[in-house]
């Protein structure tokens, strides 16, 4: 019989608390079909997880009663022990066997999934004072191992840890539009706020008879030729999931009302081309 550590019950609650996190739609679990989740989902989990682990489930014991009263419908809570196959991301070594709580989907008929011997990727944080215990960062942080998923995860981790990694976007600073000498000509600049205070800005150029085009610059030097970031890259993720859905009124408070309206229109165009964080 496997004894479930008391700490496991303490770690189960955040799984439910984050189940309805905004900007998250993918619901991929270890027992779900082999579907590769969207880049934004994996990027969010990599950014939020101090530990990313390749593991093989050794045992899974269902938790019932009061300790599972808050489990979402269609799921069941398990205390899982897994053998660590590899530490993909982590600042220090971890034990070769770890335990954690996971709320996993039941089958269409309400049956428990067969978790034992499954190879999984875990997005987790350590539990203070318990080196052998983990806390999954959200509801879907136990994922069925797929080579394609492993490659995506490692690519995101490499981008996050790169010296020139784009910082997280925390808000929008000043924005202004400067009209050109010809009707319909002008440039909008939007300065972004970041977690590291590193400069990031958007440039939107308007030319008569042409569609507006935009670019993003990292650093103090503005490069209008840089263009938009490629989809499914860390910079794209930072923008699509970090920018507010509308230009804050304070960003254009000092601009001429007509120019401020164009700046808001240009900002909306950027958001539309980026897509939504889902």
């Amino acid at each position: 019989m496997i004894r479930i550590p008391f700490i496991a019950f303490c770690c189960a609650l955040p799984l439910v608390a984050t189940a309805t996190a905004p900007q998250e739609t993918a619901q991929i679990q270890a027992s779900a079909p082999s579907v590769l989740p969207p880049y934004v989902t994996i990027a969010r989990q990599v950014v939020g997880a101090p530990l990313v682990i390749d593991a093989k489930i050794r045992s899974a014991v269902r938790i019932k009663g009061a300790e599972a009263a808050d489990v979402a419908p269609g799921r069941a809570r398990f205390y899982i022990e897994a053998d660590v196959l590899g530490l993909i991301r982590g600042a220090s070594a971890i034990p070769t066997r770890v335990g954690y709580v996971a709320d996993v989907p039941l089958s269409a008929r309400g049956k428990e999934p067969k978790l034992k011997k499954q190879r999984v990727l875990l997005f987790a944080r350590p539990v203070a004072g318990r080196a052998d215990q983990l806390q999954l960062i959200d509801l879907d942080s136990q994922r069925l191992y797929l080579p394609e998923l492993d490659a995506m995860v490692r690519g995101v981790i490499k981008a996050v840890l790169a010296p020139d990694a784009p910082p997280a976007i925390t808000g929008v600073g000043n924005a202004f539009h400067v009209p050109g000498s010809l009707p319909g000509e002008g440039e909008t600049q939007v300065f972004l706020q970041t977690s590291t205070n590193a400069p990031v800005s958007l440039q939107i150029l308007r030319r008569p008879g042409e569609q507006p085009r935009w670019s993003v610059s990292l650093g103090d030097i503005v490069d209008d030729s840089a263009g938009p970031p490629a989809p499914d890259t860390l910079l794209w993720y930072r923008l699509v999931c970090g920018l507010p859905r509308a230009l804050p009124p304070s960003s254009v408070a000092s601009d001429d009302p007509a120019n401020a309206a164009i700046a808001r229109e240009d900002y909306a165009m950027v958001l539309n081309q980026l897509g939504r964080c889902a």
Side-chain angles (χ1 to χ4, degrees):
M1 178 177 181
I2 298 176
R3 183 180 297 276
I4 302 175
F6 175 77
I7 191 70
F9 300 125
C10 301
C11 296
L13 297 179
L15 297 179
V16 178
T18 57
T20 55
Q23 302 180 336
E24 176 59 44
T25 58
Q27 297 284 319
I28 312 297
Q29 272 287 344
S31 58
S34 301
V35 177
L36 194 64
Y39 182 93
V40 292
T41 300
I42 297 305
R44 180 187 60 77
Q45 291 186 316
V46 167
V47 168
L51 300 172
V52 180
I53 300 168
D54 181 359
K56 185 176 183 180
I57 295 177
R58 186 179 185 88
S59 63
V61 177
R62 185 167 180 175
I63 301 172
K64 299 182 179 181
E67 291 81 8
D70 56 354
V71 175
R75 290 179 180 255
R77 179 164 294 168
F78 290 84
Y79 175 71
I80 296 173
E81 287 192 342
D83 295 323
V84 175
L85 303 179
L87 180 60
I88 302 176
R89 182 185 187 186
S92 59
I94 62 173
T96 57
R97 186 175 301 168
V98 294
Y100 58 93
V101 170
D103 291 357
V104 300
L106 298 172
S107 71
R109 297 182 178 180
K111 295 184 178 180
E112 297 181 9
K114 296 181 180 180
L115 299 172
K116 188 176 181 180
K117 296 184 179 181
Q118 281 195 352
R119 186 177 178 181
V120 292
L121 292 179
L122 306 174
F123 301 85
R125 60 177 65 92
V127 174
R130 293 295 304 270
D132 63 336
Q133 295 296 306
L134 305 176
Q135 181 183 25
L136 300 184
I137 66 165
D138 62 20
L139 186 66
D140 293 308
S141 292
Q142 173 180 280
R143 296 185 176 277
L144 179 69
Y145 178 90
L146 297 170
E148 299 85 355
L149 177 60
D150 181 84
M152 179 189 292
V153 169
R154 291 176 187 273
V156 175
I157 292 174
K158 182 179 179 180
V160 168
L161 299 180
D164 59 348
I169 306 301
T170 58
V172 176
N174 293 329
F176 57 88
H177 176 77
V178 178
S181 56
L182 299 175
E185 184 179 56
E187 179 178 357
T188 297
Q189 287 195 323
V190 182
F191 295 94
L192 307 181
Q193 298 167 343
T194 66
S195 59
T196 62
N197 294 321
V200 178
S201 60
L202 306 175
Q203 297 80 41
I204 302 93
L205 295 178
R206 288 172 172 257
R207 296 290 183 264
E210 299 179 8
Q211 291 294 323
R213 54 187 179 89
W214 69 280
S215 61
V216 56
S217 296
L218 303 179
D220 295 315
I221 300 177
V222 174
D223 183 6
D224 293 335
S225 65
D232 293 353
T233 60
L234 184 60
L235 178 56
W236 174 81
Y237 164 76
R238 293 298 198 191
L239 293 174
V240 75
C241 294
L243 291 175
R245 299 310 300 174
L247 198 61
S250 59
S251 297
V252 291
S254 61
D255 207 353
D256 175 84
N259 292 335
I262 296 177
R264 286 192 289 268
E265 182 180 334
D266 287 344
Y267 182 81
M269 182 271 294
V270 170
L271 294 183
N272 183 61
Q273 290 196 9
L274 281 171
R276 299 190 66 88
C277 181

